[in-house]
Amino acid sequence: MTEAENRNIGFPWTLQHVNRTLSSTGGTLAAACDAYEEYIRRCNTLDLDVSDDQTDNAHLCWSAHIAGGTHHAFRDYGEGFCIFSDIAVAANVLLQKFPHQSSTADPTTKSKGIRRILIIDLDVHQGNGNAALFQGNDKVQTFSVHCRSNYFSKKEHSDLDIELPAGSTDDTYLTTLKHWLRRIEEHPFDDDSDQQGKKCQRQKPFDFIFYQAGVDIHKDDRLGRLSISQEGISKRNHLVFDFADRMRAPLVICMGGGYPKDDWAPILTAHAGVYIEAHQYLSSFGRDLT
């Protein structure tokens, strides 16, 4: 790699970085495949249609990767500490490994596979790599909430980009996120009418969700320009968890950005909180979901 390419990525080429990059990408891929395979197993055990899982908690198959979220990687170059987009690789593998098979031709046959994936990117920076990688791909929807004044390269176009002004605090952030999650939930991604124009039962909008849970929105982050408290980040996480539950879709959580100043404690606490809170959320259902 050239010096300019290494500088754009943010660190020099070493064998250690190669291995770490492959491991990080593989970790998100493994988490995604494990979550969806477990979802299929539960649906088969409960005799549910995977496209319309309206009973039980079969969809609460969550996996978490304590790395990944490298959302600034493009097809032929990396930037911003990102070489490969782990989420993009995992999403593409899911679509290839579990292609959607409609049950409309035979009503006695259950629908199978993945029709549509949602990427929720809540890092302080736009998920520009994933936006470009999935541009025009209606099987993967990209949703990014980020700081308006924190672009370090060309802005790309996600399916939904929400920009927040620098210095935004908890109330603005959480109100905005809650509003747009509801708008996504209510959006008519599919035509719910049959050939005679009669309303059919609505299909699930998404069969799988990725959550890029960057904590560089924290008020003490070195590179972020928002001012979100630890309590605000926890509330953000719960908004996403509630949304995934309502969507009845398996979820994979990836780490994303978070850059300490002199004191590492606030950023480490925020990173750890994402995973601890996800476990607590699942535990709140009061029974073993494994």
Side-chain angles (χ1 to χ4, degrees):
M1 295 180 66
T2 67
E3 181 179 345
E5 288 172 330
N6 284 326
R7 186 168 57 250
N8 202 45
I9 289 171
F11 41 71
W13 187 97
T14 66
L15 182 60
Q16 181 181 11
H17 280 136
V18 171
N19 291 333
R20 182 198 178 279
T21 297
L22 295 176
S23 175
S24 179
T25 304
T28 299
L29 174 58
C33 289
D34 284 351
Y36 197 73
E37 286 168 355
E38 173 61 16
Y39 176 54
I40 291 174
R41 185 193 69 79
R42 294 184 188 182
C43 287
N44 289 339
T45 299
L46 298 169
D47 194 29
L48 299 175
D49 187 331
V50 298
S51 68
D52 186 30
D53 155 29
Q54 294 298 321
T55 59
D56 210 88
N57 291 318
H59 62 285
L60 291 172
C61 302
W62 294 5
S63 291
H65 184 202
I66 310 178
T70 47
H71 59 167
H72 299 310
F74 291 76
R75 285 183 176 85
D76 54 355
Y77 67 94
E79 64 178 34
F81 310 116
C82 303
I83 298 176
F84 300 132
S85 172
D86 57 303
I87 291 176
V89 171
N92 279 309
V93 170
L94 286 178
L95 290 169
Q96 292 175 10
K97 189 174 182 179
F98 306 103
H100 181 248
Q101 301 173 32
S102 177
S103 63
T104 54
D106 181 0
T108 65
T109 303
K110 296 184 184 300
S111 295
K112 299 178 181 178
I114 296 174
R115 293 186 313 123
R116 189 181 296 113
I117 293 170
L118 174 65
I119 300 173
I120 300 175
D121 191 323
L122 300 186
D123 194 275
V124 79
H125 303 102
Q126 186 202 33
N128 57 337
N130 287 330
L133 289 169
F134 293 112
Q135 189 75 40
N137 185 342
D138 60 4
K139 292 184 178 180
V140 181
Q141 299 290 305
T142 52
F143 168 46
S144 178
V145 180
H146 47 270
C147 182
R148 178 183 301 156
S149 57
N150 209 340
Y151 292 93
F152 57 86
S153 64
K154 175 178 173 286
K155 177 183 176 181
E156 301 291 341
H157 295 284
S158 309
D159 291 295
L160 178 59
D161 283 307
I162 303 301
E163 297 180 324
L164 291 171
S168 292
T169 55
D170 291 10
D171 286 346
T172 298
Y173 188 94
L174 295 171
T175 299
T176 302
L177 177 60
K178 184 176 182 180
H179 170 80
W180 285 106
L181 287 174
R182 281 292 184 186
R183 290 285 299 273
I184 292 171
E185 185 175 352
E186 295 166 357
H187 183 76
F189 287 97
D190 301 292
D191 183 0
D192 298 328
S193 301
D194 61 17
Q195 294 180 348
Q196 285 73 42
K198 297 179 180 178
K199 283 290 182 180
C200 302
Q201 185 175 4
R202 187 182 182 190
Q203 293 181 293
K204 291 197 305 184
F206 308 104
D207 297 299
F208 203 91
I209 298 173
F210 288 95
Y211 174 29
Q212 204 275 19
V215 299
D216 41 9
I217 63 172
H218 196 287
K219 62 182 182 180
D220 292 325
D221 189 88
R222 177 167 53 91
L223 301 180
R225 296 180 182 176
L226 298 182
S227 189
I228 311 303
S229 69
Q230 178 56 51
E231 182 182 4
I233 292 176
S234 295
K235 289 180 178 179
R236 173 201 74 168
N237 296 335
H238 280 77
L239 285 174
V240 175
F241 300 158
D242 283 338
F243 174 82
D245 182 25
R246 293 195 305 271
M247 293 296 94
R248 307 193 69 79
L251 174 73
V252 163
I253 302 167
C254 299
M255 180 174 280
Y259 309 95
K261 297 178 182 178
D262 294 330
D263 183 5
W264 286 55
I267 302 304
L268 294 178
T269 298
H271 273 312
V274 174
Y275 301 94
I276 293 170
E277 290 159 15
H279 180 268
Q280 291 172 339
Y281 187 92
L282 291 178
S283 299
S284 71
F285 286 83
R287 66 178 186 81
D288 185 8
L289 293 171
T290 60

